[in-house]
Amino acid sequence: MSDVIKIFHGPQHPGVTGNMSLELDLDGETIVRAVTHVGYLHRGFEKLIERRTLIQAFTIVCRICVPEPDPNEENLARGIEELAGLEISERAKFIRVLVLELARLQAHLLWLAGQGGSIGHEVVPQWAIGERDYILDLFEELTGGRVYHMYIYPGGVRRDLPDGFLDRVAAVLDQLQAQLPEYDRIFFENAGVKKRLQGVGVVAADEAIANGYSGPVIRGCGIARDVRRDAPYLVYDQLEFDIPTQTAGDAYARALVRRAEMDQSIRILRQVIEQMPPGAIQCKLPRHHKFTLPKAETYIQTESARGAFSYYLAGDGSEYLRRLQVRGPSIVHAFTLLERLLIGAQLADVALIMNSLGICPPEIER
């Protein structure tokens, strides 16, 4: 009689980073087989977008990753602009960077809350979700929505900054920057946290390169890859920031990378506030039914909090995209990597490993 038992970790489980499931075979508390299952979500984003006009499609892409929707908006908008030959203003570029870096900050805070809860450190989720809400307040003021923004728009952005908005962003950054040392003290430097994360979910640098891992996963292996630096877009080439790395390749190294990236996002945002130029926020677009794309194709990348987010777009001369293909970092992180890392791991470490990879299931079910 076999001693192996089968359990399903998710989709209704607080230790799963979204609506997906892990089929686990256990020998005692040790995992001997792991299979990732998706299919619990709204699927078919690519085909939904291909059957809508360019402006209608803009309202769909933010759903491709709920915790951080804005890189999807940037990819679609920049891809359409490149195909249509549109040049957006400097002010629109700076505002987009402002939105993308605020999105990165709130995504890292959401990750911190999830990882703290997975360890059982309940103070961290309370603090981190509270800090994140101040950023969501800014999004609500700017875009009208706390989570789905539909703000980065082909040709620029949907509306200008409200009066005094940059001052309120600076105040939120001041508050967060003052609080980050407390997160260091109670979480990142906590002996219990280190004991749970160090040596868990180790990824080697050569594996990360061979399989196309990105974001904190590859930077946690000591490889300083970041689309913002390697293939600059918007105004990132005008801003000063570092690419944090760690060498251990484990869940703790990825945590330290995210912690350092929060400092760098604050650094970028302060430069954006100081350098925000005047000018228009939207270039002139053709009328809706006359907004067509030529028979051409392009490949767009944006650096999200989880890694490189890529879009392939192809036009056919009509007001519809002939083909849209989305490749988020979760595709390889949730299948190729997660299934391997879980073999030999302990059941108690499943949520920690999964959180450390930053998996977002809608990216997979695109």
PDB file of all heavy atoms in Angstrom, residues 213-241:
ATOM      1  N   TYR A 213      13.568  33.147 -16.942  1.00  0.00           N
ATOM      2  CA  TYR A 213      12.996  33.752 -15.746  1.00  0.00           C
ATOM      3  C   TYR A 213      13.333  35.241 -15.747  1.00  0.00           C
ATOM      4  O   TYR A 213      14.287  35.686 -16.394  1.00  0.00           O
ATOM      5  CB  TYR A 213      13.533  33.095 -14.481  1.00  0.00           C
ATOM      6  CG  TYR A 213      13.352  31.591 -14.423  1.00  0.00           C
ATOM      7  CD1 TYR A 213      14.224  30.784 -13.679  1.00  0.00           C
ATOM      8  CD2 TYR A 213      12.320  30.963 -15.110  1.00  0.00           C
ATOM      9  CE1 TYR A 213      14.061  29.415 -13.618  1.00  0.00           C
ATOM     10  CE2 TYR A 213      12.153  29.586 -15.054  1.00  0.00           C
ATOM     11  CZ  TYR A 213      13.034  28.817 -14.317  1.00  0.00           C
ATOM     12  OH  TYR A 213      12.878  27.456 -14.270  1.00  0.00           O
ATOM     13  N   SER A 214      12.563  36.016 -15.002  1.00  0.00           N
ATOM     14  CA  SER A 214      12.797  37.460 -14.989  1.00  0.00           C
ATOM     15  C   SER A 214      12.390  38.039 -13.644  1.00  0.00           C
ATOM     16  O   SER A 214      11.950  37.322 -12.744  1.00  0.00           O
ATOM     17  CB  SER A 214      12.028  38.141 -16.134  1.00  0.00           C
ATOM     18  OG  SER A 214      10.629  37.948 -15.988  1.00  0.00           O
ATOM     19  N   GLY A 215      12.533  39.345 -13.509  1.00  0.00           N
ATOM     20  CA  GLY A 215      12.129  40.031 -12.290  1.00  0.00           C
ATOM     21  C   GLY A 215      12.968  39.644 -11.091  1.00  0.00           C
ATOM     22  O   GLY A 215      14.147  39.295 -11.212  1.00  0.00           O
ATOM     23  N   PRO A 216      12.368  39.655  -9.896  1.00  0.00           N
ATOM     24  CA  PRO A 216      13.107  39.289  -8.685  1.00  0.00           C
ATOM     25  C   PRO A 216      13.684  37.877  -8.729  1.00  0.00           C
ATOM     26  O   PRO A 216      14.650  37.586  -8.031  1.00  0.00           O
ATOM     27  CB  PRO A 216      12.054  39.422  -7.580  1.00  0.00           C
ATOM     28  CG  PRO A 216      11.098  40.439  -8.099  1.00  0.00           C
ATOM     29  CD  PRO A 216      11.026  40.191  -9.575  1.00  0.00           C
ATOM     30  N   VAL A 217      13.095  36.987  -9.532  1.00  0.00           N
ATOM     31  CA  VAL A 217      13.608  35.618  -9.616  1.00  0.00           C
ATOM     32  C   VAL A 217      15.018  35.614 -10.189  1.00  0.00           C
ATOM     33  O   VAL A 217      15.946  35.033  -9.613  1.00  0.00           O
ATOM     34  CB  VAL A 217      12.674  34.720 -10.457  1.00  0.00           C
ATOM     35  CG1 VAL A 217      13.302  33.339 -10.657  1.00  0.00           C
ATOM     36  CG2 VAL A 217      11.313  34.585  -9.783  1.00  0.00           C
ATOM     37  N   ILE A 218      15.222  36.266 -11.340  1.00  0.00           N
ATOM     38  CA  ILE A 218      16.555  36.249 -11.955  1.00  0.00           C
ATOM     39  C   ILE A 218      17.503  37.201 -11.231  1.00  0.00           C
ATOM     40  O   ILE A 218      18.694  36.920 -11.092  1.00  0.00           O
ATOM     41  CB  ILE A 218      16.474  36.575 -13.467  1.00  0.00           C
ATOM     42  CG1 ILE A 218      17.782  36.154 -14.154  1.00  0.00           C
ATOM     43  CG2 ILE A 218      16.160  38.042 -13.719  1.00  0.00           C
ATOM     44  CD1 ILE A 218      17.700  36.131 -15.666  1.00  0.00           C
ATOM     45  N   ARG A 219      16.977  38.311 -10.713  1.00  0.00           N
ATOM     46  CA  ARG A 219      17.850  39.238  -9.984  1.00  0.00           C
ATOM     47  C   ARG A 219      18.263  38.653  -8.636  1.00  0.00           C
ATOM     48  O   ARG A 219      19.324  39.002  -8.110  1.00  0.00           O
ATOM     49  CB  ARG A 219      17.152  40.591  -9.821  1.00  0.00           C
ATOM     50  CG  ARG A 219      16.993  41.318 -11.159  1.00  0.00           C
ATOM     51  CD  ARG A 219      16.604  42.763 -10.994  1.00  0.00           C
ATOM     52  NE  ARG A 219      15.221  42.959 -10.618  1.00  0.00           N
ATOM     53  CZ  ARG A 219      14.206  43.024 -11.465  1.00  0.00           C
ATOM     54  NH1 ARG A 219      14.414  42.889 -12.765  1.00  0.00           N
ATOM     55  NH2 ARG A 219      12.975  43.233 -11.027  1.00  0.00           N
ATOM     56  N   GLY A 220      17.445  37.752  -8.090  1.00  0.00           N
ATOM     57  CA  GLY A 220      17.824  37.067  -6.865  1.00  0.00           C
ATOM     58  C   GLY A 220      18.925  36.055  -7.064  1.00  0.00           C
ATOM     59  O   GLY A 220      19.490  35.529  -6.102  1.00  0.00           O
ATOM     60  N   CYS A 221      19.258  35.761  -8.350  1.00  0.00           N
ATOM     61  CA  CYS A 221      20.374  34.863  -8.686  1.00  0.00           C
ATOM     62  C   CYS A 221      21.650  35.639  -9.015  1.00  0.00           C
ATOM     63  O   CYS A 221      22.634  35.041  -9.460  1.00  0.00           O
ATOM     64  CB  CYS A 221      20.013  33.993  -9.891  1.00  0.00           C
ATOM     65  SG  CYS A 221      18.526  33.017  -9.686  1.00  0.00           S
ATOM     66  N   GLY A 222      21.603  36.961  -8.857  1.00  0.00           N
ATOM     67  CA  GLY A 222      22.791  37.763  -9.115  1.00  0.00           C
ATOM     68  C   GLY A 222      22.877  38.341 -10.512  1.00  0.00           C
ATOM     69  O   GLY A 222      23.913  38.911 -10.884  1.00  0.00           O
ATOM     70  N   ILE A 223      21.816  38.225 -11.307  1.00  0.00           N
ATOM     71  CA  ILE A 223      21.832  38.711 -12.689  1.00  0.00           C
ATOM     72  C   ILE A 223      20.992  39.985 -12.772  1.00  0.00           C
ATOM     73  O   ILE A 223      19.787  39.958 -12.523  1.00  0.00           O
ATOM     74  CB  ILE A 223      21.283  37.650 -13.660  1.00  0.00           C
ATOM     75  CG1 ILE A 223      22.121  36.377 -13.547  1.00  0.00           C
ATOM     76  CG2 ILE A 223      21.280  38.161 -15.093  1.00  0.00           C
ATOM     77  CD1 ILE A 223      21.525  35.186 -14.248  1.00  0.00           C
ATOM     78  N   ALA A 224      21.630  41.099 -13.126  1.00  0.00           N
ATOM     79  CA  ALA A 224      20.978  42.416 -13.107  1.00  0.00           C
ATOM     80  C   ALA A 224      20.240  42.678 -14.413  1.00  0.00           C
ATOM     81  O   ALA A 224      20.602  43.561 -15.194  1.00  0.00           O
ATOM     82  CB  ALA A 224      22.006  43.511 -12.842  1.00  0.00           C
ATOM     83  N   ARG A 225      19.179  41.916 -14.656  1.00  0.00           N
ATOM     84  CA  ARG A 225      18.352  42.124 -15.840  1.00  0.00           C
ATOM     85  C   ARG A 225      17.096  42.895 -15.468  1.00  0.00           C
ATOM     86  O   ARG A 225      16.391  42.530 -14.538  1.00  0.00           O
ATOM     87  CB  ARG A 225      17.974  40.783 -16.480  1.00  0.00           C
ATOM     88  CG  ARG A 225      19.098  40.148 -17.259  1.00  0.00           C
ATOM     89  CD  ARG A 225      18.598  38.992 -18.094  1.00  0.00           C
ATOM     90  NE  ARG A 225      19.668  38.379 -18.859  1.00  0.00           N
ATOM     91  CZ  ARG A 225      19.539  37.273 -19.587  1.00  0.00           C
ATOM     92  NH1 ARG A 225      18.359  36.680 -19.652  1.00  0.00           N
ATOM     93  NH2 ARG A 225      20.560  36.769 -20.245  1.00  0.00           N
ATOM     94  N   ASP A 226      16.839  43.957 -16.223  1.00  0.00           N
ATOM     95  CA  ASP A 226      15.668  44.796 -15.993  1.00  0.00           C
ATOM     96  C   ASP A 226      15.380  45.533 -17.294  1.00  0.00           C
ATOM     97  O   ASP A 226      16.273  46.198 -17.834  1.00  0.00           O
ATOM     98  CB  ASP A 226      15.935  45.784 -14.856  1.00  0.00           C
ATOM     99  CG  ASP A 226      14.688  46.529 -14.407  1.00  0.00           C
ATOM    100  OD1 ASP A 226      14.018  47.139 -15.262  1.00  0.00           O
ATOM    101  OD2 ASP A 226      14.388  46.514 -13.194  1.00  0.00           O
ATOM    102  N   VAL A 227      14.163  45.403 -17.814  1.00  0.00           N
ATOM    103  CA  VAL A 227      13.820  46.020 -19.098  1.00  0.00           C
ATOM    104  C   VAL A 227      14.010  47.529 -19.046  1.00  0.00           C
ATOM    105  O   VAL A 227      14.400  48.153 -20.035  1.00  0.00           O
ATOM    106  CB  VAL A 227      12.369  45.674 -19.502  1.00  0.00           C
ATOM    107  CG1 VAL A 227      12.014  46.307 -20.850  1.00  0.00           C
ATOM    108  CG2 VAL A 227      12.181  44.169 -19.565  1.00  0.00           C
ATOM    109  N   ARG A 228      13.758  48.132 -17.894  1.00  0.00           N
ATOM    110  CA  ARG A 228      13.897  49.584 -17.784  1.00  0.00           C
ATOM    111  C   ARG A 228      15.320  50.038 -18.064  1.00  0.00           C
ATOM    112  O   ARG A 228      15.539  51.159 -18.536  1.00  0.00           O
ATOM    113  CB  ARG A 228      13.473  50.049 -16.382  1.00  0.00           C
ATOM    114  CG  ARG A 228      12.015  49.807 -16.042  1.00  0.00           C
ATOM    115  CD  ARG A 228      11.731  50.107 -14.581  1.00  0.00           C
ATOM    116  NE  ARG A 228      12.476  49.202 -13.695  1.00  0.00           N
ATOM    117  CZ  ARG A 228      12.534  49.323 -12.382  1.00  0.00           C
ATOM    118  NH1 ARG A 228      11.886  50.327 -11.782  1.00  0.00           N
ATOM    119  NH2 ARG A 228      13.217  48.460 -11.657  1.00  0.00           N
ATOM    120  N   ARG A 229      16.295  49.181 -17.787  1.00  0.00           N
ATOM    121  CA  ARG A 229      17.701  49.513 -18.033  1.00  0.00           C
ATOM    122  C   ARG A 229      18.191  48.892 -19.345  1.00  0.00           C
ATOM    123  O   ARG A 229      18.945  49.533 -20.104  1.00  0.00           O
ATOM    124  CB  ARG A 229      18.557  49.007 -16.864  1.00  0.00           C
ATOM    125  CG  ARG A 229      20.055  49.232 -16.987  1.00  0.00           C
ATOM    126  CD  ARG A 229      20.472  50.689 -17.043  1.00  0.00           C
ATOM    127  NE  ARG A 229      19.925  51.467 -15.943  1.00  0.00           N
ATOM    128  CZ  ARG A 229      20.455  51.505 -14.717  1.00  0.00           C
ATOM    129  NH1 ARG A 229      21.532  50.805 -14.440  1.00  0.00           N
ATOM    130  NH2 ARG A 229      19.906  52.259 -13.783  1.00  0.00           N
ATOM    131  N   ASP A 230      17.775  47.672 -19.637  1.00  0.00           N
ATOM    132  CA  ASP A 230      18.293  46.961 -20.814  1.00  0.00           C
ATOM    133  C   ASP A 230      17.680  47.439 -22.124  1.00  0.00           C
ATOM    134  O   ASP A 230      18.344  47.431 -23.164  1.00  0.00           O
ATOM    135  CB  ASP A 230      18.038  45.449 -20.661  1.00  0.00           C
ATOM    136  CG  ASP A 230      18.714  44.872 -19.423  1.00  0.00           C
ATOM    137  OD1 ASP A 230      19.699  45.472 -18.961  1.00  0.00           O
ATOM    138  OD2 ASP A 230      18.247  43.830 -18.931  1.00  0.00           O
ATOM    139  N   ALA A 231      16.414  47.828 -22.100  1.00  0.00           N
ATOM    140  CA  ALA A 231      15.728  48.334 -23.306  1.00  0.00           C
ATOM    141  C   ALA A 231      14.822  49.481 -22.869  1.00  0.00           C
ATOM    142  O   ALA A 231      13.596  49.333 -22.809  1.00  0.00           O
ATOM    143  CB  ALA A 231      14.921  47.230 -23.985  1.00  0.00           C
ATOM    144  N   PRO A 232      15.406  50.640 -22.534  1.00  0.00           N
ATOM    145  CA  PRO A 232      14.639  51.723 -21.900  1.00  0.00           C
ATOM    146  C   PRO A 232      13.448  52.183 -22.729  1.00  0.00           C
ATOM    147  O   PRO A 232      13.500  52.241 -23.957  1.00  0.00           O
ATOM    148  CB  PRO A 232      15.682  52.852 -21.773  1.00  0.00           C
ATOM    149  CG  PRO A 232      17.009  52.178 -21.840  1.00  0.00           C
ATOM    150  CD  PRO A 232      16.818  50.999 -22.742  1.00  0.00           C
ATOM    151  N   TYR A 233      12.373  52.491 -22.046  1.00  0.00           N
ATOM    152  CA  TYR A 233      11.156  53.015 -22.660  1.00  0.00           C
ATOM    153  C   TYR A 233      10.700  54.215 -21.844  1.00  0.00           C
ATOM    154  O   TYR A 233      11.215  54.482 -20.745  1.00  0.00           O
ATOM    155  CB  TYR A 233      10.066  51.933 -22.722  1.00  0.00           C
ATOM    156  CG  TYR A 233       9.792  51.242 -21.402  1.00  0.00           C
ATOM    157  CD1 TYR A 233       8.774  51.668 -20.560  1.00  0.00           C
ATOM    158  CD2 TYR A 233      10.582  50.166 -20.986  1.00  0.00           C
ATOM    159  CE1 TYR A 233       8.527  51.034 -19.352  1.00  0.00           C
ATOM    160  CE2 TYR A 233      10.347  49.529 -19.779  1.00  0.00           C
ATOM    161  CZ  TYR A 233       9.315  49.967 -18.961  1.00  0.00           C
ATOM    162  OH  TYR A 233       9.086  49.343 -17.760  1.00  0.00           O
ATOM    163  N   LEU A 234       9.749  54.973 -22.399  1.00  0.00           N
ATOM    164  CA  LEU A 234       9.291  56.214 -21.765  1.00  0.00           C
ATOM    165  C   LEU A 234      10.501  57.092 -21.437  1.00  0.00           C
ATOM    166  O   LEU A 234      11.267  57.402 -22.333  1.00  0.00           O
ATOM    167  CB  LEU A 234       8.428  55.891 -20.543  1.00  0.00           C
ATOM    168  CG  LEU A 234       7.161  55.073 -20.834  1.00  0.00           C
ATOM    169  CD1 LEU A 234       6.429  54.699 -19.534  1.00  0.00           C
ATOM    170  CD2 LEU A 234       6.224  55.818 -21.772  1.00  0.00           C
ATOM    171  N   VAL A 235      10.704  57.463 -20.157  1.00  0.00           N
ATOM    172  CA  VAL A 235      11.843  58.336 -19.824  1.00  0.00           C
ATOM    173  C   VAL A 235      12.794  57.673 -18.835  1.00  0.00           C
ATOM    174  O   VAL A 235      13.535  58.363 -18.124  1.00  0.00           O
ATOM    175  CB  VAL A 235      11.341  59.691 -19.263  1.00  0.00           C
ATOM    176  CG1 VAL A 235      10.609  60.476 -20.341  1.00  0.00           C
ATOM    177  CG2 VAL A 235      10.442  59.491 -18.029  1.00  0.00           C
ATOM    178  N   TYR A 236      12.780  56.351 -18.775  1.00  0.00           N
ATOM    179  CA  TYR A 236      13.652  55.672 -17.811  1.00  0.00           C
ATOM    180  C   TYR A 236      15.131  55.935 -18.082  1.00  0.00           C
ATOM    181  O   TYR A 236      15.947  55.885 -17.157  1.00  0.00           O
ATOM    182  CB  TYR A 236      13.365  54.170 -17.804  1.00  0.00           C
ATOM    183  CG  TYR A 236      12.152  53.800 -16.989  1.00  0.00           C
ATOM    184  CD1 TYR A 236      10.977  53.378 -17.599  1.00  0.00           C
ATOM    185  CD2 TYR A 236      12.161  53.897 -15.602  1.00  0.00           C
ATOM    186  CE1 TYR A 236       9.854  53.041 -16.855  1.00  0.00           C
ATOM    187  CE2 TYR A 236      11.046  53.561 -14.844  1.00  0.00           C
ATOM    188  CZ  TYR A 236       9.897  53.140 -15.479  1.00  0.00           C
ATOM    189  OH  TYR A 236       8.781  52.821 -14.725  1.00  0.00           O
ATOM    190  N   ASP A 237      15.487  56.215 -19.344  1.00  0.00           N
ATOM    191  CA  ASP A 237      16.885  56.511 -19.645  1.00  0.00           C
ATOM    192  C   ASP A 237      17.304  57.884 -19.133  1.00  0.00           C
ATOM    193  O   ASP A 237      18.497  58.210 -19.142  1.00  0.00           O
ATOM    194  CB  ASP A 237      17.144  56.402 -21.145  1.00  0.00           C
ATOM    195  CG  ASP A 237      16.242  57.295 -21.975  1.00  0.00           C
ATOM    196  OD1 ASP A 237      15.252  57.832 -21.423  1.00  0.00           O
ATOM    197  OD2 ASP A 237      16.517  57.468 -23.177  1.00  0.00           O
ATOM    198  N   GLN A 238      16.357  58.693 -18.666  1.00  0.00           N
ATOM    199  CA  GLN A 238      16.670  60.012 -18.112  1.00  0.00           C
ATOM    200  C   GLN A 238      16.705  60.000 -16.585  1.00  0.00           C
ATOM    201  O   GLN A 238      16.970  61.028 -15.966  1.00  0.00           O
ATOM    202  CB  GLN A 238      15.630  61.032 -18.577  1.00  0.00           C
ATOM    203  CG  GLN A 238      15.491  61.174 -20.081  1.00  0.00           C
ATOM    204  CD  GLN A 238      14.386  62.126 -20.478  1.00  0.00           C
ATOM    205  OE1 GLN A 238      14.148  63.139 -19.804  1.00  0.00           O
ATOM    206  NE2 GLN A 238      13.684  61.812 -21.563  1.00  0.00           N
ATOM    207  N   LEU A 239      16.427  58.865 -15.980  1.00  0.00           N
ATOM    208  CA  LEU A 239      16.306  58.771 -14.532  1.00  0.00           C
ATOM    209  C   LEU A 239      17.427  57.911 -13.959  1.00  0.00           C
ATOM    210  O   LEU A 239      17.895  56.969 -14.596  1.00  0.00           O
ATOM    211  CB  LEU A 239      14.944  58.183 -14.159  1.00  0.00           C
ATOM    212  CG  LEU A 239      13.725  58.933 -14.716  1.00  0.00           C
ATOM    213  CD1 LEU A 239      12.452  58.135 -14.458  1.00  0.00           C
ATOM    214  CD2 LEU A 239      13.619  60.322 -14.108  1.00  0.00           C
ATOM    215  N   GLU A 240      17.822  58.218 -12.751  1.00  0.00           N
ATOM    216  CA  GLU A 240      18.877  57.465 -12.069  1.00  0.00           C
ATOM    217  C   GLU A 240      18.256  56.452 -11.113  1.00  0.00           C
ATOM    218  O   GLU A 240      17.441  56.803 -10.262  1.00  0.00           O
ATOM    219  CB  GLU A 240      19.789  58.418 -11.297  1.00  0.00           C
ATOM    220  CG  GLU A 240      20.585  59.374 -12.180  1.00  0.00           C
ATOM    221  CD  GLU A 240      21.517  60.249 -11.368  1.00  0.00           C
ATOM    222  OE1 GLU A 240      21.561  60.068 -10.127  1.00  0.00           O
ATOM    223  OE2 GLU A 240      22.198  61.119 -11.959  1.00  0.00           O
ATOM    224  N   PHE A 241      18.648  55.205 -11.277  1.00  0.00           N
ATOM    225  CA  PHE A 241      18.208  54.156 -10.363  1.00  0.00           C
ATOM    226  C   PHE A 241      19.125  52.953 -10.521  1.00  0.00           C
ATOM    227  O   PHE A 241      19.802  52.791 -11.542  1.00  0.00           O
ATOM    228  CB  PHE A 241      16.744  53.746 -10.625  1.00  0.00           C
ATOM    229  CG  PHE A 241      16.471  53.213 -12.004  1.00  0.00           C
ATOM    230  CD1 PHE A 241      16.428  51.848 -12.244  1.00  0.00           C
ATOM    231  CD2 PHE A 241      16.260  54.077 -13.073  1.00  0.00           C
ATOM    232  CE1 PHE A 241      16.178  51.350 -13.517  1.00  0.00           C
ATOM    233  CE2 PHE A 241      16.003  53.584 -14.350  1.00  0.00           C
ATOM    234  CZ  PHE A 241      15.957  52.222 -14.568  1.00  0.00           C
TER     235      PHE A 241
END
